Amino acid sequence: MLILEVLFYSFVAVVVVQVLYYAVLFGSFAFSKSISTAANSNHPISVIICAKNEAENIKHFLPSILNQTYPNFEVVLINDSSHDDTLDIFEDFKSKHSNIKIVNVKNIEAFWGNKKYALSLGIKAATHNHLLFTDADCQPVSNQWIAEMSKNFTNEDTIVLGYGAYNKIKKSFLNKLIRFETLLTATQYFSFAKVGIPFMGVGRNLAYHRDEFFKTNGFINHMKIRSGDDDLFINEAANAKNTAICYSKDSFTTSIPKSSLKDWFKQKRRHVSTAKHYKFKHQFLLATFYISQILFWFLAITLAITTYLWQFVLGLILLRFIIQFLTLGFSANKLDEKDTIILLPILEITLIVLQFSIFIANKISKPNYWK
């Protein structure tokens, strides 16, 4: 009986932690009202795309960048030692568009296969100081992408975190799982930025002033860590005073999601491997949330089986689920991911199991990185 009492009070504490995360921290983004920004922005923008063996994606997606209605922008195309036709495709586009600049990066021994080295050269070659990043397999959802992201630049806000969605595939559980994980991650980094402790952004849709790059000496402090050109840079450079978020639907980009669990698992291993290099406060807050998720499910199931104080246990379970559904529901509405909420408990459990598997896999061996 004493053990059950300990489990029950532990469950109460875990539910309190979960409610605080969802209602207070994540609610800072989920329940916030959109703040209108300046109607026009006159910042000249350099859009930077780093590509390695992306010839087909470049042919398909680059026109959506070039067709932006923004009055003053260039596109810096970085060919990172590709061995396909990427450079030829770049040069073909450049012959037709005067606002394209090509940076052809060749491998050198010190930075062999290092995307951060290629990006550094592209950033230095950019004409303009306001930089907007996306990936070669990404497509803006509208021709207002540059305009929407650039609106958020001010004298103080020199970093803008955007949303990089994944294309929806009907009748695919994996696709819903990928988009749910993307929704949860975005809710986290938007919320942390809202309360003044920004910790990451995604390279699929991210903007910052070039001065921020040089203030932190570029990627030099984590150059040996192959991944993290987006989240580790933001973790180092962003703070409460210089970071804005952009989640207007015209500002989204979309990418092609992985079509197999194996490929997505490999991708997430690369992404997760950078988290151990975050600032301690970010690691602590993220770890506390994840651990409280695991404990919630473990204790809820254990106490439900024993039927110990089942009325109170049921009430706590319902409270946590209601808060979670409301918070993620409002976030999903903002980020156009509403269909993922229907399967929320199933997606959450699946994601917890996979995240734990990724953690174990990364402990056993290091993941592969940039192509």
Side-chain angles (χ1 to χ4, degrees), residues 76-350:
V76 180
L77 300 174
I78 307 167
N79 175 45
D80 187 11
S81 307
S82 300
H83 50 72
D84 68 354
D85 296 330
T86 294
L87 182 58
D88 293 335
I89 301 299
F90 280 177
E91 290 174 342
D92 183 55
F93 273 105
K94 180 175 172 57
S95 68
K96 301 169 186 173
H97 299 273
S98 61
N99 62 336
I100 287 179
K101 178 179 288 187
I102 296 174
V103 178
N104 188 28
V105 180
K106 296 182 179 180
N107 276 324
I108 62 172
E109 186 175 351
F111 299 107
W112 190 271
N114 193 320
K115 182 183 179 183
K116 293 176 185 175
Y117 170 68
L119 273 173
S120 297
L121 295 182
I123 289 169
K124 291 176 181 178
T127 304
H128 308 307
N129 288 323
H130 291 87
L131 313 175
L132 177 56
F133 297 82
T134 191
D135 289 339
D137 63 346
C138 291
Q139 181 176 20
V141 301
S142 80
N143 62 7
Q144 298 298 307
W145 170 58
I146 298 178
E148 289 296 313
M149 288 293 286
S150 68
K151 279 181 187 179
N152 293 275
F153 278 122
T154 66
N155 290 335
E156 294 78 27
D157 293 326
T158 51
I159 295 174
V160 183
L161 311 180
Y163 182 58
Y166 284 102
N167 295 339
K168 298 177 182 179
I169 301 174
K170 293 181 179 180
K171 298 180 181 179
S172 169
F173 180 77
L174 176 62
N175 180 256
K176 277 190 169 56
L177 180 66
I178 291 172
R179 290 190 295 110
F180 174 73
E181 189 273 338
T182 305
L183 165 67
L184 183 59
T185 300
T187 300
Q188 290 174 342
Y189 70 73
F190 282 145
S191 300
F192 275 62
K194 269 278 190 183
V195 299
I197 46 173
F199 78 97
M200 70 163 284
V202 292
R204 301 188 301 277
N205 198 1
L206 174 67
Y208 51 82
H209 196 282
R210 184 156 44 186
D211 286 352
E212 294 295 346
F213 183 76
F214 291 119
K215 278 182 197 174
T216 59
N217 293 316
F219 306 123
I220 197 68
N221 293 330
H222 47 89
M223 183 65 81
K224 292 182 180 179
I225 304 165
R226 294 295 183 87
S227 57
D229 54 274
D230 46 10
D231 60 340
L232 289 183
F233 175 78
I234 294 302
N235 197 259
E236 184 176 13
N239 58 55
K241 295 181 179 179
N242 70 357
T243 306
I245 64 175
C246 182
Y247 53 92
S248 63
K249 292 185 179 179
D250 281 342
S251 73
F252 296 171
T253 62
T254 60
S255 305
I256 301 171
K258 299 298 182 183
S259 56
S260 75
L261 181 60
K262 181 180 179 181
D263 289 341
W264 182 71
F265 192 85
K266 287 181 179 178
Q267 182 187 55
K268 293 314 297 179
R269 282 191 65 189
R270 293 195 298 270
H271 294 171
V272 170
S273 66
T274 62
K276 65 182 179 182
H277 302 287
Y278 291 172
K279 293 172 184 174
F280 175 77
K281 62 183 178 182
H282 299 137
Q283 290 190 51
F284 176 80
L285 288 168
L286 292 169
T288 300
F289 173 67
Y290 179 65
I291 292 168
S292 68
Q293 275 187 308
I294 296 175
L295 289 175
F296 170 81
W297 282 101
F298 171 76
L299 293 171
I301 293 170
T302 301
L303 290 169
I305 291 171
T306 64
T307 68
Y308 181 78
L309 295 177
W310 69 268
Q311 299 97 327
F312 293 100
V313 171
L314 179 60
L316 290 168
I317 291 173
L318 289 174
L319 172 65
R320 186 268 189 179
F321 274 131
I322 289 170
I323 297 295
Q324 182 190 43
F325 269 98
L326 284 172
T327 302
L328 292 184
F330 274 83
S331 290
N333 186 56
K334 281 182 166 70
L335 302 178
D336 199 23
E337 304 287 5
K338 295 187 289 293
D339 61 311
T340 63
I341 301 303
I342 299 170
L343 298 175
L344 199 160
I346 298 171
L347 292 172
E348 182 185 14
I349 293 174
T350 305

